Amino acid sequence: MSKAGRLVVLVSGSGTNLQALLDASADPSYGARVVAVGADRDGIAGLDRAEKAKVPTFVEKLADHPSRAEWDDALAARIAAYEPDLVVAAGFMKILGEPTIGAFPVVNTHPALLPSFPGAHGVRDALAHGVKVTGCTVMLADSGVDTGPIIAQEAVSVLPDDDEASLHERIKSVERRLLVDIVGRMVREGWTVSGRVVRIGNQTGGESK
Ligand code: GRF
């Protein structure tokens, strides 16, 4: 079997998506392993999960840099040091700049069915809009807010008594499974992007645009 794909996972919070990737990569047949976890803040459960799994971590805070551009450069350099095949933004609450998205393929996950309800409050906004079906989207990151080419989506029904927390929890259990599945398939099978259409497979690895 070929060498496991190298994943750098970026987190800002509880890191349950990260945990799902860590758990999946314990099986060599998954084909990918988490080589580092980066964050934009400290004191978060996501970093604790990485440390528990003995995965190296790094923190690059925006406030520690004179400008956003310098933070973008510093973050990209931290990521590059781990030579990732794929970067996974798993609940990373910052827009990634050109130094990162120009250098690495980045998979992002969002708790709504894009292009509806992008941004930091996708669950709250869907609920407030009164939709009866929402879900999650796994996409390639680009320079916009949740605007990149969609790789996979799955629907989740909104229940009459849902609040933001209950709905988000149900979405997250679907999201974790979808993210693990898609990341593994991308690393094992490769992918292509044609316009906005992403296709997994028919490649021995890597990306062609
Ligand atoms: C996920 O729903 C992600 O899509 C959103 O924040 C949540 C992160 O959850 N941006 P976790 O930190 O992986 O538990």
Side-chain angles (χ1 to χ4, degrees):
M1 164 146 201
S2 57
K3 244 173 81 220
R6 298 172 63 83
L7 307 178
V8 170
V9 182
L10 303 177
V11 295
S12 298
S14 65
T16 64
N17 281 283
L18 163 66
Q19 188 67 54
L21 290 165
L22 288 167
D23 293 347
S25 57
D27 179 349
S29 69
Y30 184 60
R33 67 192 173 96
V34 181
V35 295
V37 172
D40 62 333
R41 60 198 77 183
D42 26 45
I44 54 170
L47 288 171
D48 297 339
R49 291 176 192 275
E51 277 151 28
K52 207 163 160 215
K54 303 199 174 3
V55 171
T57 62
F58 59 86
V59 176
E60 246 358 290
K61 295 184 205 166
L62 185 53
D64 289 345
H65 296 275
S67 69
R68 179 117 193 168
E70 279 155 283
W71 174 77
D72 279 332
D73 284 337
L75 182 67
R78 291 293 203 114
I79 295 169
Y82 293 97
E83 301 181 346
D85 296 303
L86 196 59
V87 175
V88 184
F92 187 65
M93 302 307 282
K94 293 245 175 347
I95 305 298
L96 292 163
E98 189 55 34
T100 295
I101 57 172
F104 313 101
V106 181
V107 169
N108 191 9
T109 176
H110 181 70
L113 292 176
L114 294 170
S116 292
F117 313 116
H121 304 294
V123 179
R124 188 189 306 172
D125 294 345
L127 206 50
H129 198 86
V131 297
K132 304 303 177 210
V133 176
T134 183
C136 54
T137 302
V138 175
M139 80 211 93
L140 287 169
D142 67 6
S143 57
V145 179
D146 300 324
T147 51
I150 291 168
I151 309 168
Q153 295 184 297
E154 227 174 283
V156 173
S157 294
V158 179
L159 302 180
D161 293 337
D162 265 331
D163 58 16
E164 185 180 356
S166 66
L167 180 57
H168 199 174
E169 264 324 302
R170 257 191 356 278
I171 291 171
K172 279 174 69 169
S173 67
V174 174
E175 186 181 19
R176 288 189 283 267
R177 177 175 44 71
L178 189 66
L179 183 68
V180 164
D181 177 48
I182 292 301
V183 166
R185 287 179 54 207
M186 288 175 77
V187 169
R188 292 189 305 272
E189 301 171 36
W191 68 96
T192 55
V193 186
S194 169
R196 289 197 51 88
V197 178
V198 183
R199 283 204 179 79
I200 298 178
N202 293 326
Q203 267 202 224
T204 50
E207 180 186 18
S208 85
K209 283 194 176 166

